[in-house]
Amino acid sequence: MSMAEAISRFVKPGCHLSIGGFTLNRNPMAAVYEIIRQRIDNLHLYAHSNGQGVDELIGAGCVRAIEIAYGGNGRFAPTCIRFRKAIETGQIHFEDYSNYQMTLRFMAGAMGVPFLPTTSGLGTDILQKWGFSPEFREAETRLPREKLLVMDNPFRRQDEDPPKVVLLPAVNPDVTIIHVQKAGREGTVSINGLTFADVEQAKAARHLIVSCEELVEEDEMRLEPGENQLPFFLVDAVVHQFYGAYPTACYGCYDYDPQFLKMYQRLAKDDALYASYLGEYVYGVDNHQQLCDLVGREQLQRIRAVNPQGYAAGLDRR
Amino acid sequence: MMDYTLTEMMAVVAAREIRDEEIVFCGTGISMLAAMAAKHISAPRSVIFFETGAIDSLLEEIPLAVADSRVMYHTALNGGLADAFATMQNPFTGPRVVGILGAAQIDPFGNLNSTAIGDYDQPRIRFSGSGGACDVASFVGRTIIFMRQVKGRFVEKLDYLTSPGYLDGNGSRQRAGLRPGGPELVVTDKAVFRFDEKSKRMYLAGYYPGIKVAEIMETVEFPLDCNRAVPVPAVTDKELQILRQKCDPQGLIR
């Protein structure tokens, strides 16, 4: 399936979405840019530390509300720039959690339980201060009424047992999109390197879109099943997408592009420059291949991963 | 004596504190430099551990984010967030972890704000938010905190409490339901601070070469005990060599 078709079929205005990856690695950027090009808006986004993709969706005006743990992009943006602007100017509804809390929420969704407990966050403002207003929660009937709840540990007997736990409500997105190194034609997924929370996010969603660097016959995926993380029957669409995480990295395939991310950082700070960025690099191309052409073969070659490191050793990242 | 930067001084001061065989949770930037340096200075058998799930990476180049592909190379295993945080919440492995954190604001009890300055709903300055910081601060045995020693950072009351330190002191951390643990050391570009064993309030423990105590006090907005402060030894030539030749030869963090 083409990316344009996968996005238009599953990602609808106002739908609840989560994307895979972490800060500057393995974000499904080809899908993100396609969502922006199709001008799909009012999205409700669930994120842990999904970085670049989240910032671009917010910057392009696709996001109405976000539940998030971390809006940063490593060295290239200690705080994601469009995320920061959107919050400081009251453009989006937002709710803060921690990374583990968001992971548990996806996991609960994947497991089909209404919540999971943790002791993380006791005594903090993550418990005390709620971003979504009660009116917003009441009107959004798919959201729980409470951000989270604290409960006495019902099994407590010894002094050292935790007295309390924080209950985190499950998340079940309409769609999760992940980008991976390798998938079979039927959808079996193999992720190389860190999986982040991709597996939990994928299993929690009603629909799953997978884009991949390498698309192989399903039989080939059965040769080393220990390397696979997701079975084919979870997957609604498989898109073969060369450099599909660009400008973020894809371990073993290519590095993040420091030049592009630095350019983004500079242009994102100014509204007019950001509009020109979107015009040239997102709306100005028809698909991800054209973005790659615009960046140029030379630069893509420069960030190509080497063996055995899996990144572009010696790449100029200043 | 070679010239070193204050960032390098901070990394070395923190690295000296890391014990052998400890599991070191680190974030980006200076904390990564400190964790890498520790392996060459005080703790050759310490294990670097990332919230993204990478365990004991062979860091040939300095990663620019905890999800950088550089953390995935030659690890004991590449897991995910669920495993990484569970390892810290686990009652057997959690206490063996030392966490290195940073923040925009810190209060006298070592609680941290990395979320927002001003009103939470429409802040004057919005930061990244917790990420894994709140989880680490809630779970692990002890933490080391990096701060910049400038006005507005050492405040009596945080605008938003993202990551728990000792909360209000006097056992309030345990009363809230958190494990023992909490911050042990705050490292800035001018000084180091520790926490009183009983009250859990911050005190000035040391100041860097050429820095006057009054200069530090100017930036701290709460009463601070300075009577225990001693000079902190400068970065040695050997330590600087480790930083520049073994940890960050490309000079990405200086």
Side-chain angles (χ1 to χ4, degrees):
Chain A
M1 199 182 290
S2 74
M3 185 60 85
E5 192 188 345
I7 297 301
S8 67
R9 190 182 295 185
F10 295 107
V11 184
K12 306 292 182 192
C15 82
H16 290 209
L17 177 73
S18 91
I19 61 172
F22 195 106
T23 59
L24 41 66
N25 213 313
R26 233 166 26 69
N27 283 216
M29 294 307 297
V32 164
Y33 293 134
E34 187 56 33
I35 291 171
I36 297 172
R37 261 192 299 278
Q38 292 190 19
R39 299 181 193 267
I40 300 168
D41 58 8
N42 282 309
L43 296 173
H44 190 103
L45 204 54
Y46 297 103
H48 45 87
S49 300
N50 306 90
Q52 185 69 17
V54 163
D55 201 51
E56 300 223 26
L57 284 172
I58 292 173
C62 300
V63 178
R64 175 169 179 255
I66 186 164
E67 306 191 33
I68 189 168
Y70 184 76
N73 204 22
R75 175 77 179 281
F76 298 98
T79 306
C80 285
I81 297 155
R82 302 308 300 189
F83 161 79
R84 175 179 168 180
K85 267 183 196 283
I87 289 186
E88 289 176 2
T89 56
Q91 301 292 305
I92 55 172
H93 301 275
F94 64 94
E95 194 74 275
D96 277 282
Y97 292 91
S98 73
N99 265 344
Y100 190 44
Q101 290 171 344
M102 283 307 295
T103 305
L104 289 174
R105 298 188 64 197
F106 289 118
M107 194 185 273
M111 293 165 69
V113 293
F115 59 84
L116 280 172
T118 175
T119 56
S120 175
L122 289 165
T124 71
D125 280 338
I126 294 179
L127 271 59
Q128 294 301 319
K129 296 189 179 174
W130 295 14
F132 292 166
S133 66
E135 298 76 33
F136 181 80
R137 283 190 176 276
E138 195 56 42
E140 297 289 307
T141 52
R142 289 184 57 189
L143 300 184
R145 286 202 174 85
E146 288 81 20
K147 174 184 179 179
L148 41 72
L149 288 169
V150 177
M151 178 185 164
D152 287 337
N153 173 3
F155 298 105
R156 187 165 198 241
R157 182 163 179 185
Q158 317 273 355
D159 273 356
E160 61 268 30
D161 294 338
K164 293 175 201 169
V165 286
V166 183
L167 309 183
L168 279 315
V171 165
N172 285 107
D174 294 310
V175 190
T176 287
I177 311 173
I178 62 172
H179 181 75
V180 305
Q181 285 86 356
K182 191 164 142 186
R185 290 193 185 281
E186 300 298 316
T188 302
V189 164
S190 173
I191 298 172
N192 184 12
L194 294 168
T195 53
F196 307 125
D198 280 23
V199 174
E200 291 80 7
Q201 290 177 263
K203 290 178 178 171
R206 180 181 299 274
H207 296 295
L208 175 59
I209 300 174
V210 174
S211 61
C212 59
E213 293 294 323
E214 191 187 353
L215 183 67
V216 301
E217 294 305 325
E218 199 58 35
D219 271 352
E220 195 184 322
M221 298 301 291
R222 311 295 174 104
L223 297 176
E224 298 283 351
E227 293 181 4
N228 302 341
Q229 285 84 15
L230 294 167
F232 58 93
F233 60 76
L234 292 178
V235 181
D236 293 273
V238 188
V239 180
H240 189 197
Q241 188 74 65
F242 199 51
Y243 274 87
Y246 180 89
T248 70
C250 188
Y251 182 66
C253 298
Y254 46 89
D255 220 321
Y256 46 85
D257 183 352
Q259 278 186 23
F260 192 98
L261 293 176
K262 265 187 287 188
M263 175 191 75
Y264 180 88
Q265 184 180 22
R266 183 169 57 80
L267 300 179
K269 283 179 181 154
D270 178 273
D271 288 351
L273 291 177
Y274 195 65
S276 71
Y277 160 79
L278 285 173
E280 185 175 357
Y281 290 93
V282 188
Y283 298 123
V285 297
D286 293 332
N287 53 47
H288 202 62
Q289 184 55 50
Q290 284 187 15
L291 171 67
C292 292
D293 293 343
L294 193 61
V295 170
R297 190 174 297 175
E298 204 180 316
Q299 182 61 9
L300 295 185
Q301 195 52 44
R302 215 171 276 147
I303 63 169
R304 203 74 204 155
V306 297
N307 262 326
Q309 284 89 342
Y311 53 83
L315 176 67
D316 185 357
R317 295 178 293 145
R318 281 167 299 177
Chain B
M1 174 74 62
M2 287 164 76
D3 278 338
Y4 55 85
T5 68
L6 287 171
T7 299
E8 288 169 330
M9 177 76 180
M10 292 168 75
V12 165
V13 168
R16 290 170 183 161
E17 292 286 324
I18 292 167
R19 300 170 196 143
D20 208 12
E21 296 188 22
E22 244 176 341
I23 301 168
V24 186
F25 167 92
C26 69
T28 48
I30 191 168
S31 77
M32 221 176 273
L33 194 58
M36 289 169 78
K39 285 189 78 99
H40 299 283
I41 295 173
S42 54
R45 282 170 302 172
S46 58
V47 175
I48 300 181
F49 173 82
F50 295 98
E51 66 180 292
T52 45
I55 298 177
D56 210 18
S57 323
L58 179 61
L59 297 171
E60 289 187 344
E61 293 183 7
I62 205 144
L64 296 185
V66 293
D68 195 313
S69 296
R70 284 155 188 79
V71 309
M72 304 180 197
Y73 174 53
H74 208 277
T75 55
L77 71 89
N78 282 325
L81 273 62
D83 277 345
F85 289 114
T87 300
M88 290 187 267
Q89 191 171 228
N90 180 299
F92 309 113
T93 44
R96 293 170 55 192
V97 178
V98 54
I100 310 182
L101 302 171
Q105 285 182 329
I106 187 167
D107 75 8
F109 296 104
N111 304 302
L112 304 176
N113 173 10
S114 54
T115 302
I117 301 283
D119 179 42
Y120 172 61
D121 293 321
Q122 200 160 329
R124 198 150 40 79
I125 307 172
R126 171 68 205 209
F127 297 106
S128 60
S130 163
C134 169
D135 306 311
V136 174
S138 297
F139 296 149
V140 307
R142 63 187 192 115
T143 55
I144 297 171
I145 298 160
F146 281 117
M147 295 293 300
R148 289 283 164 190
Q149 193 79 56
V150 290
K151 277 190 178 154
R153 303 293 181 96
F154 285 69
V155 297
E156 184 68 50
K157 188 168 170 27
L158 303 175
D159 289 11
Y160 185 100
L161 199 169
T162 313
S163 306
Y166 297 107
L167 298 180
D168 299 315
N170 297 315
S172 55
R173 183 182 163 95
Q174 280 90 321
R175 276 198 302 282
L178 294 168
R179 273 214 208 111
E184 199 163 275
L185 188 74
V186 181
V187 179
T188 77
D189 44 332
K190 289 191 169 65
V192 294
F193 304 81
R194 293 183 189 273
F195 295 85
D196 184 80
E197 215 167 297
K198 274 198 183 138
S199 69
K200 299 297 179 191
R201 263 191 85 94
M202 192 188 298
Y203 67 88
L204 183 66
Y207 46 88
Y208 295 174
I211 304 289
K212 292 187 175 61
V213 171
E215 206 178 317
I216 298 160
M217 295 303 290
E218 262 174 40
T219 61
V220 178
E221 295 173 19
F222 48 80
L224 185 75
D225 171 14
C226 302
N227 294 324
R228 288 176 259 185
V230 295
V232 178
V235 178
T236 65
D237 288 353
K238 185 170 168 250
E239 286 166 333
L240 193 61
Q241 225 171 15
I242 287 167
L243 282 185
R244 294 200 175 162
Q245 287 168 19
K246 297 201 168 145
C247 303
D248 184 21
Q250 294 172 303
L252 295 167
I253 300 169
R254 279 214 181 142

